[in-house]
Amino acid sequence: MATTESHPLDLPRQHLFWMLHLAGWSAYFGLGYLSAIAYEKPAGYWVVPLTAAITGAAVTLGLRYLFHACWSLPPRKLLAAMTVPILASSAVMDLVTRKVMLEFCATCAPTNRAAYIAYALSYIYVVMAWVGLYIGIKYYRQLQDETQRALAARSMAHQAQLKMLRYQLNPHFLFNTLNAISTLILDRDNPTANRMVQGLSAFLRHSLDNDPMQRVTLRQELDALTLYLDIEKVRFAERLRVETAIDEDCWRALLPSLLLQPLVENAIKYAVARQVEGGLLRVEAERRGDDLLLRVIDDGPGCAALEGGELPAGKGLGLRNTRERLSVLYGDRGGFAVRNRARGIEVELRLPFEEKGAGE
Protein backbone atom coordinates (compact mmCIF):
# COMPACT_ATOMS: atom_id res chain seq x y z
CA MET A 1 0.00 0.00 0.00
CA ALA A 2 1.34 3.41 -0.94
CA THR A 3 2.15 5.77 1.89
CA THR A 4 1.73 9.52 1.80
CA GLU A 5 4.44 11.67 3.33
CA SER A 6 3.08 14.35 5.64
CA HIS A 7 4.47 17.83 6.02
CA PRO A 8 5.02 19.20 9.56
CA LEU A 9 2.63 22.05 8.79
CA ASP A 10 -0.08 19.51 7.97
CA LEU A 11 -0.52 18.65 11.66
CA PRO A 12 -3.83 19.55 13.34
CA ARG A 13 -3.91 23.28 14.02
CA GLN A 14 -3.87 23.09 17.83
CA HIS A 15 -1.02 20.59 17.88
CA LEU A 16 0.98 22.59 15.38
CA PHE A 17 0.56 25.87 17.26
CA TRP A 18 1.56 24.51 20.65
CA MET A 19 4.48 22.59 19.22
CA LEU A 20 5.90 25.64 17.46
CA HIS A 21 4.98 28.05 20.25
CA LEU A 22 6.68 26.08 23.01
CA ALA A 23 9.63 25.11 20.82
CA GLY A 24 10.20 28.71 19.76
CA TRP A 25 10.18 30.18 23.25
CA SER A 26 12.29 27.30 24.57
CA ALA A 27 14.85 28.09 21.89
CA TYR A 28 14.69 31.76 22.90
CA PHE A 29 15.44 30.81 26.51
CA GLY A 30 18.30 28.57 25.37
CA LEU A 31 19.91 31.37 23.40
CA GLY A 32 19.54 33.76 26.35
CA TYR A 33 21.06 31.21 28.72
CA LEU A 34 24.05 30.61 26.44
CA SER A 35 24.49 34.36 26.04
CA ALA A 36 24.54 34.79 29.84
CA ILE A 37 27.29 32.18 30.12
CA ALA A 38 29.26 33.74 27.27
CA TYR A 39 29.12 37.20 28.87
CA GLU A 40 29.87 35.80 32.36
CA LYS A 41 26.70 37.03 34.00
CA PRO A 42 26.21 36.53 37.77
CA ALA A 43 25.09 33.18 39.18
CA GLY A 44 21.37 32.67 38.87
CA TYR A 45 21.13 35.04 35.92
CA TRP A 46 19.54 32.20 33.93
CA VAL A 47 16.28 33.27 35.59
CA VAL A 48 16.30 36.42 33.43
CA PRO A 49 16.09 34.69 30.01
CA LEU A 50 13.65 32.22 31.55
CA THR A 51 11.44 35.11 32.69
CA ALA A 52 11.69 36.71 29.25
CA ALA A 53 10.70 33.43 27.57
CA ILE A 54 7.75 32.78 29.91
CA THR A 55 6.52 36.37 29.63
CA GLY A 56 6.92 36.30 25.85
CA ALA A 57 5.02 33.03 25.61
CA ALA A 58 2.20 34.46 27.73
CA VAL A 59 1.80 37.80 25.92
CA THR A 60 2.02 36.23 22.45
CA LEU A 61 -0.59 33.70 23.49
CA GLY A 62 -2.86 36.67 24.11
CA LEU A 63 -1.93 38.06 20.70
CA ARG A 64 -2.94 34.77 19.15
CA TYR A 65 -6.50 35.07 20.42
CA LEU A 66 -6.67 38.70 19.27
CA PHE A 67 -5.48 37.66 15.80
CA HIS A 68 -8.10 34.94 15.75
CA ALA A 69 -10.83 37.46 16.60
CA CYS A 70 -9.67 40.02 14.01
CA TRP A 71 -8.55 37.66 11.24
CA SER A 72 -11.55 38.38 9.01
CA LEU A 73 -10.51 42.04 8.70
CA PRO A 74 -8.73 43.25 5.54
CA PRO A 75 -4.91 43.14 5.91
CA ARG A 76 -4.50 46.89 6.48
CA LYS A 77 -7.24 47.04 9.10
CA LEU A 78 -5.84 43.92 10.74
CA LEU A 79 -2.41 45.52 10.98
CA ALA A 80 -3.88 48.74 12.38
CA ALA A 81 -5.97 46.84 14.94
CA MET A 82 -3.00 44.77 16.12
CA THR A 83 -0.37 47.53 16.31
CA VAL A 84 -1.23 48.65 19.85
CA PRO A 85 -1.52 45.08 21.26
CA ILE A 86 1.85 44.19 19.69
CA LEU A 87 3.56 47.25 21.20
CA ALA A 88 1.85 46.64 24.55
CA SER A 89 3.01 43.02 24.56
CA SER A 90 6.57 44.14 23.84
CA ALA A 91 6.37 46.69 26.68
CA VAL A 92 5.12 44.10 29.17
CA MET A 93 7.91 41.73 28.17
CA ASP A 94 10.44 44.56 28.54
CA LEU A 95 9.24 45.75 31.97
CA VAL A 96 8.90 42.30 33.56
CA THR A 97 12.24 41.06 32.26
CA ARG A 98 14.06 44.27 33.23
CA LYS A 99 12.69 44.12 36.77
CA VAL A 100 13.95 40.56 37.25
CA MET A 101 17.26 41.41 35.60
CA LEU A 102 17.98 44.26 38.04
CA GLU A 103 17.62 41.85 40.97
CA PHE A 104 20.55 39.79 39.66
CA CYS A 105 22.64 42.42 37.93
CA ALA A 106 22.21 46.04 39.00
CA THR A 107 24.97 47.15 36.64
CA CYS A 108 23.07 45.69 33.66
CA ALA A 109 20.46 48.47 33.73
CA PRO A 110 20.42 50.86 30.74
CA THR A 111 22.30 54.06 31.57
CA ASN A 112 21.05 56.41 28.84
CA ARG A 113 18.13 57.00 26.49
CA ALA A 114 19.76 55.20 23.56
CA ALA A 115 20.32 52.13 25.71
CA TYR A 116 16.70 52.21 26.89
CA ILE A 117 15.48 52.46 23.28
CA ALA A 118 17.75 49.64 22.13
CA TYR A 119 16.61 47.46 25.03
CA ALA A 120 12.93 48.13 24.27
CA LEU A 121 13.41 47.61 20.55
CA SER A 122 14.98 44.21 21.15
CA TYR A 123 11.70 42.96 22.62
CA ILE A 124 9.67 44.59 19.85
CA TYR A 125 11.81 42.67 17.37
CA VAL A 126 11.22 39.43 19.26
CA VAL A 127 7.44 39.91 19.36
CA MET A 128 7.37 40.99 15.72
CA ALA A 129 9.32 37.86 14.77
CA TRP A 130 6.66 35.77 16.52
CA VAL A 131 3.90 37.73 14.76
CA GLY A 132 5.57 37.26 11.38
CA LEU A 133 5.87 33.51 11.87
CA TYR A 134 2.32 33.24 13.16
CA ILE A 135 0.84 35.16 10.22
CA GLY A 136 2.99 33.29 7.71
CA ILE A 137 1.96 29.87 9.00
CA LYS A 138 -1.68 30.90 9.32
CA TYR A 139 -1.75 32.18 5.74
CA TYR A 140 -0.04 28.99 4.61
CA ARG A 141 -2.70 26.85 6.29
CA GLN A 142 -5.46 29.05 4.89
CA LEU A 143 -4.01 28.76 1.38
CA GLN A 144 -3.67 25.02 1.87
CA ASP A 145 -7.33 24.75 2.91
CA GLU A 146 -8.44 26.77 -0.11
CA THR A 147 -6.31 24.62 -2.39
CA GLN A 148 -7.80 21.44 -0.94
CA ARG A 149 -11.32 22.80 -1.34
CA ALA A 150 -10.56 23.74 -4.95
CA LEU A 151 -9.14 20.28 -5.61
CA ALA A 152 -12.16 18.66 -3.99
CA ALA A 153 -14.52 20.79 -6.08
CA ARG A 154 -12.55 20.00 -9.23
CA SER A 155 -12.59 16.30 -8.38
CA MET A 156 -16.36 16.37 -7.82
CA ALA A 157 -16.88 18.17 -11.13
CA HIS A 158 -14.53 15.71 -12.81
CA GLN A 159 -16.46 12.74 -11.45
CA ALA A 160 -19.80 14.30 -12.32
CA GLN A 161 -18.64 14.88 -15.88
CA LEU A 162 -17.45 11.30 -16.25
CA LYS A 163 -20.68 9.92 -14.81
CA MET A 164 -22.70 12.11 -17.15
CA LEU A 165 -20.71 10.86 -20.14
CA ARG A 166 -21.08 7.23 -19.05
CA TYR A 167 -24.76 7.35 -18.19
CA GLN A 168 -25.61 9.41 -21.27
CA LEU A 169 -25.04 6.24 -23.29
CA ASN A 170 -27.57 4.09 -21.45
CA PRO A 171 -30.81 5.83 -22.59
CA HIS A 172 -29.77 5.44 -26.23
CA PHE A 173 -29.05 1.75 -25.78
CA LEU A 174 -32.20 1.22 -23.71
CA PHE A 175 -34.37 2.84 -26.36
CA ASN A 176 -33.05 0.52 -29.07
CA THR A 177 -33.37 -2.60 -26.94
CA LEU A 178 -36.83 -1.85 -25.58
CA ASN A 179 -38.01 -1.00 -29.07
CA ALA A 180 -36.74 -4.38 -30.28
CA ILE A 181 -38.45 -6.18 -27.39
CA SER A 182 -41.69 -4.36 -28.17
CA THR A 183 -41.46 -5.48 -31.78
CA LEU A 184 -40.87 -9.10 -30.73
CA ILE A 185 -43.89 -9.00 -28.43
CA LEU A 186 -46.08 -7.59 -31.20
CA ASP A 187 -44.84 -10.39 -33.45
CA ARG A 188 -45.73 -12.83 -30.64
CA ASP A 189 -42.15 -14.07 -30.50
CA ASN A 190 -42.28 -14.35 -26.72
CA PRO A 191 -39.33 -16.74 -26.21
CA THR A 192 -36.98 -14.38 -28.05
CA ALA A 193 -38.41 -11.37 -26.23
CA ASN A 194 -37.86 -13.16 -22.93
CA ARG A 195 -34.22 -13.86 -23.80
CA MET A 196 -33.71 -10.20 -24.62
CA VAL A 197 -35.29 -9.10 -21.33
CA GLN A 198 -33.03 -11.48 -19.40
CA GLY A 199 -29.99 -10.28 -21.32
CA LEU A 200 -30.93 -6.65 -20.76
CA SER A 201 -31.40 -7.32 -17.05
CA ALA A 202 -27.94 -8.90 -16.78
CA PHE A 203 -26.29 -6.04 -18.66
CA LEU A 204 -28.02 -3.32 -16.65
CA ARG A 205 -27.18 -5.08 -13.39
CA HIS A 206 -23.54 -5.12 -14.44
CA SER A 207 -23.69 -1.44 -15.43
CA LEU A 208 -25.24 -0.34 -12.14
CA ASP A 209 -22.90 -2.47 -10.04
CA ASN A 210 -19.83 -0.83 -11.57
CA ASP A 211 -18.96 2.75 -10.68
CA PRO A 212 -18.17 4.88 -13.76
CA MET A 213 -15.06 6.07 -11.91
CA GLN A 214 -13.86 2.51 -11.38
CA ARG A 215 -11.33 0.91 -13.69
CA VAL A 216 -11.66 -2.71 -14.71
CA THR A 217 -9.39 -5.20 -16.43
CA LEU A 218 -9.74 -5.78 -20.15
CA ARG A 219 -11.04 -9.27 -19.40
CA GLN A 220 -13.83 -7.80 -17.24
CA GLU A 221 -14.57 -5.21 -19.92
CA LEU A 222 -14.93 -7.92 -22.57
CA ASP A 223 -17.17 -9.94 -20.25
CA ALA A 224 -19.46 -6.90 -19.99
CA LEU A 225 -19.27 -6.43 -23.75
CA THR A 226 -20.35 -10.05 -24.19
CA LEU A 227 -23.50 -9.34 -22.15
CA TYR A 228 -24.29 -6.48 -24.51
CA LEU A 229 -23.54 -8.50 -27.64
CA ASP A 230 -25.76 -11.34 -26.42
CA ILE A 231 -28.67 -8.89 -26.52
CA GLU A 232 -27.78 -7.67 -29.99
CA LYS A 233 -27.35 -11.22 -31.28
CA VAL A 234 -30.97 -11.87 -30.39
CA ARG A 235 -31.89 -8.97 -32.68
CA PHE A 236 -29.53 -9.71 -35.54
CA ALA A 237 -28.96 -13.46 -35.20
CA GLU A 238 -26.52 -14.64 -37.89
CA ARG A 239 -26.20 -11.15 -39.34
CA LEU A 240 -23.94 -10.14 -36.43
CA ARG A 241 -20.51 -11.76 -36.41
CA VAL A 242 -17.88 -10.94 -33.80
CA GLU A 243 -14.14 -11.60 -33.66
CA THR A 244 -11.56 -10.70 -31.02
CA ALA A 245 -7.78 -10.47 -31.21
CA ILE A 246 -6.31 -9.77 -27.78
CA ASP A 247 -2.59 -9.87 -27.04
CA GLU A 248 -1.85 -12.18 -24.13
CA ASP A 249 -0.27 -9.46 -21.98
CA CYS A 250 -3.34 -7.20 -22.30
CA TRP A 251 -5.89 -9.25 -20.38
CA ARG A 252 -4.99 -7.62 -17.04
CA ALA A 253 -4.65 -4.11 -18.46
CA LEU A 254 -6.83 -1.53 -16.70
CA LEU A 255 -9.29 0.75 -18.48
CA PRO A 256 -12.47 2.72 -17.64
CA SER A 257 -15.53 0.52 -17.31
CA LEU A 258 -17.81 0.19 -20.36
CA LEU A 259 -15.35 2.02 -22.58
CA LEU A 260 -15.80 -0.29 -25.57
CA GLN A 261 -19.59 -0.72 -25.48
CA PRO A 262 -20.48 2.60 -27.18
CA LEU A 263 -17.95 1.88 -29.94
CA VAL A 264 -19.48 -1.52 -30.60
CA GLU A 265 -22.99 -0.06 -30.41
CA ASN A 266 -22.03 2.57 -32.98
CA ALA A 267 -20.57 -0.07 -35.30
CA ILE A 268 -23.72 -2.19 -35.05
CA LYS A 269 -25.91 0.81 -35.79
CA TYR A 270 -24.01 2.06 -38.84
CA ALA A 271 -22.38 -1.12 -40.18
CA VAL A 272 -24.40 -4.20 -39.25
CA ALA A 273 -27.97 -2.87 -39.12
CA ARG A 274 -27.71 -1.08 -42.49
CA GLN A 275 -26.58 -4.12 -44.46
CA VAL A 276 -28.94 -6.90 -45.41
CA GLU A 277 -26.20 -9.47 -44.95
CA GLY A 278 -25.16 -7.93 -41.63
CA GLY A 279 -21.53 -7.40 -40.82
CA LEU A 280 -18.40 -8.35 -38.94
CA LEU A 281 -17.14 -6.62 -35.80
CA ARG A 282 -13.57 -7.12 -34.68
CA VAL A 283 -12.21 -6.05 -31.29
CA GLU A 284 -8.43 -5.84 -30.97
CA ALA A 285 -6.09 -5.02 -28.10
CA GLU A 286 -2.32 -4.71 -28.11
CA ARG A 287 0.41 -3.23 -25.99
CA ARG A 288 2.71 -0.77 -27.72
CA GLY A 289 5.43 0.47 -25.39
CA ASP A 290 3.75 2.23 -22.48
CA ASP A 291 0.40 2.44 -24.26
CA LEU A 292 -2.61 0.17 -24.56
CA LEU A 293 -4.21 0.28 -28.01
CA LEU A 294 -7.84 -0.80 -28.42
CA ARG A 295 -9.56 -1.04 -31.78
CA VAL A 296 -13.12 -1.69 -32.87
CA ILE A 297 -13.31 -2.45 -36.59
CA ASP A 298 -16.33 -3.09 -38.79
CA ASP A 299 -16.75 -4.04 -42.44
CA GLY A 300 -19.63 -1.68 -43.13
CA PRO A 301 -19.96 0.99 -45.82
CA GLY A 302 -17.71 3.45 -44.00
CA CYS A 303 -18.39 7.17 -43.69
CA ALA A 304 -17.84 9.40 -46.69
CA ALA A 305 -18.18 12.53 -44.52
CA LEU A 306 -15.33 11.44 -42.25
CA GLU A 307 -12.44 13.86 -42.74
CA GLY A 308 -9.24 14.14 -40.76
CA GLY A 309 -10.51 11.80 -38.07
CA GLU A 310 -13.38 14.17 -37.22
CA LEU A 311 -16.94 12.90 -36.98
CA PRO A 312 -19.70 14.64 -38.92
CA ALA A 313 -21.83 16.99 -36.83
CA GLY A 314 -24.71 15.20 -35.12
CA LYS A 315 -23.26 11.75 -35.71
CA GLY A 316 -21.68 9.28 -33.31
CA LEU A 317 -22.75 10.46 -29.85
CA GLY A 318 -21.17 7.37 -28.29
CA LEU A 319 -17.87 8.03 -30.06
CA ARG A 320 -17.83 11.66 -28.97
CA ASN A 321 -18.53 10.72 -25.37
CA THR A 322 -15.78 8.11 -25.44
CA ARG A 323 -13.30 10.65 -26.79
CA GLU A 324 -14.34 13.09 -24.07
CA ARG A 325 -13.95 10.43 -21.35
CA LEU A 326 -10.41 9.70 -22.52
CA SER A 327 -9.59 13.40 -22.57
CA VAL A 328 -10.93 13.97 -19.06
CA LEU A 329 -9.23 10.89 -17.62
CA TYR A 330 -5.87 10.93 -19.37
CA GLY A 331 -5.37 14.32 -20.99
CA ASP A 332 -2.58 14.24 -23.56
CA ARG A 333 -1.78 10.63 -22.68
CA GLY A 334 -5.10 9.48 -24.09
CA GLY A 335 -5.82 9.25 -27.79
CA PHE A 336 -8.86 8.75 -30.01
CA ALA A 337 -8.80 8.18 -33.76
CA VAL A 338 -11.47 7.14 -36.23
CA ARG A 339 -10.63 6.40 -39.84
CA ASN A 340 -12.08 4.79 -42.95
CA ARG A 341 -10.64 1.50 -44.14
CA ALA A 342 -10.84 -0.16 -47.53
CA ARG A 343 -14.13 -1.44 -46.20
CA GLY A 344 -15.62 -0.19 -42.98
CA ILE A 345 -14.39 2.03 -40.16
CA GLU A 346 -11.72 1.57 -37.53
CA VAL A 347 -11.90 3.33 -34.16
CA GLU A 348 -8.67 3.26 -32.18
CA LEU A 349 -8.25 4.24 -28.53
CA ARG A 350 -4.89 4.88 -26.89
CA LEU A 351 -4.44 5.05 -23.13
CA PRO A 352 -1.59 4.45 -20.67
CA PHE A 353 -0.87 0.78 -20.12
CA GLU A 354 -1.49 0.00 -16.46
CA GLU A 355 -1.73 -3.57 -15.32
CA LYS A 356 -3.66 -4.87 -12.36
CA GLY A 357 -1.22 -6.19 -9.78
CA ALA A 358 -1.21 -9.79 -8.71
CA GLY A 359 -2.33 -8.83 -5.19
CA GLU A 360 -5.24 -6.63 -6.28
Side-chain angles (χ1 to χ4, degrees):
M1 181 180 294
T3 57
T4 303
E5 294 184 3
S6 60
H7 193 279
L9 295 185
D10 292 336
L11 291 171
R13 282 173 170 73
Q14 290 293 334
H15 295 172
L16 176 66
F17 171 78
W18 285 109
M19 182 183 74
L20 295 178
H21 189 69
L22 296 176
W25 287 112
S26 296
Y28 179 78
F29 163 68
L31 289 174
Y33 179 73
L34 293 176
S35 177
I37 295 175
Y39 286 98
E40 299 180 349
K41 296 295 183 180
Y45 190 85
W46 60 270
V47 176
V48 177
L50 179 62
T51 301
I54 293 175
T55 306
V59 296
T60 51
L61 188 61
L63 289 178
R64 180 206 181 195
Y65 290 107
L66 287 175
F67 269 115
H68 182 74
C70 301
W71 192 253
S72 59
L73 295 175
R76 289 185 179 180
K77 291 185 177 181
L78 176 64
L79 180 61
M82 293 302 300
T83 298
V84 172
I86 289 172
L87 293 176
S89 299
S90 304
V92 170
M93 191 175 175
D94 177 14
L95 293 173
V96 173
T97 305
R98 191 189 311 170
K99 181 178 180 180
V100 174
M101 179 185 66
L102 293 177
E103 294 180 4
F104 290 90
C105 181
T107 60
C108 295
T111 56
N112 54 58
R113 180 176 297 179
Y116 271 106
I117 293 175
Y119 197 80
L121 285 176
S122 67
Y123 290 108
I124 293 177
Y125 294 151
V126 170
V127 174
M128 286 301 297
W130 182 94
V131 169
L133 286 172
Y134 179 81
I135 291 177
I137 293 173
K138 194 168 180 68
Y139 269 121
Y140 168 82
R141 294 299 296 261
Q142 183 173 308
L143 178 62
Q144 187 182 50
D145 289 345
E146 291 175 356
T147 301
Q148 289 177 347
R149 284 194 294 269
L151 289 174
R154 186 181 303 174
S155 176
M156 291 174 64
H158 177 87
Q159 293 182 23
Q161 183 180 11
L162 287 175
K163 289 181 179 180
M164 177 199 71
L165 292 170
R166 235 290 298 274
Y167 289 135
Q168 191 174 1
L169 304 173
N170 289 339
H172 184 244
F173 163 65
L174 281 173
F175 173 80
N176 290 339
T177 305
L178 293 175
N179 192 46
I181 293 173
S182 175
T183 301
L184 290 170
I185 293 174
L186 290 174
D187 292 342
R188 300 186 182 279
D189 190 354
N190 293 334
T192 305
N194 184 56
R195 288 202 306 275
M196 284 197 75
V197 170
Q198 291 178 345
L200 177 62
S201 174
F203 179 75
L204 291 180
R205 186 182 301 111
H206 176 87
S207 300
L208 294 174
D209 287 345
N210 285 277
D211 191 326
M213 299 299 298
Q214 178 185 358
R215 294 187 303 171
V216 298
T217 64
L218 181 58
R219 185 180 297 277
Q220 292 170 319
E221 176 72 0
L222 291 179
D223 288 343
L225 190 60
T226 299
L227 293 175
Y228 168 75
L229 287 171
D230 286 344
I231 299 171
E232 297 292 23
K233 284 179 179 178
V234 175
R235 291 176 58 198
F236 294 100
E238 299 300 324
R239 294 174 60 207
L240 173 59
R241 301 179 299 280
V242 180
E243 292 181 355
T244 58
I246 311 298
D247 285 358
E248 192 61 33
D249 57 349
C250 292
W251 287 109
R252 296 179 64 83
L254 293 171
L255 65 156
S257 64
L258 290 183
L259 185 68
L260 296 176
Q261 186 268 335
L263 309 184
V264 171
E265 181 180 354
N266 187 79
I268 291 175
K269 178 180 179 181
Y270 291 104
V272 178
R274 295 189 177 186
Q275 300 184 105
V276 175
E277 71 278 12
L280 172 68
L281 297 182
R282 182 177 174 86
V283 179
E284 299 179 351
E286 68 168 297
R287 179 176 184 176
R288 185 176 297 174
D290 294 331
D291 292 331
L292 172 66
L293 298 183
L294 302 170
R295 301 185 192 90
V296 175
I297 304 168
D298 65 63
D299 63 351
C303 180
L306 185 63
E307 295 182 3
E310 291 296 325
L311 296 168
K315 300 288 186 180
L317 173 64
L319 300 187
R320 295 179 190 279
N321 283 353
T322 300
R323 179 171 56 190
E324 185 66 20
R325 284 183 74 190
L326 288 176
S327 176
V328 171
L329 282 169
Y330 301 110
D332 293 338
R333 293 204 63 192
F336 178 95
V338 54
R339 59 182 73 93
N340 279 311
R341 295 164 56 91
R343 183 176 181 184
I345 285 180
E346 173 184 308
V347 180
E348 182 180 82
L349 309 181
R350 175 176 54 82
L351 54 152
F353 186 93
E354 298 175 88
E355 191 173 11
K356 185 174 183 180
E360 295 184 52

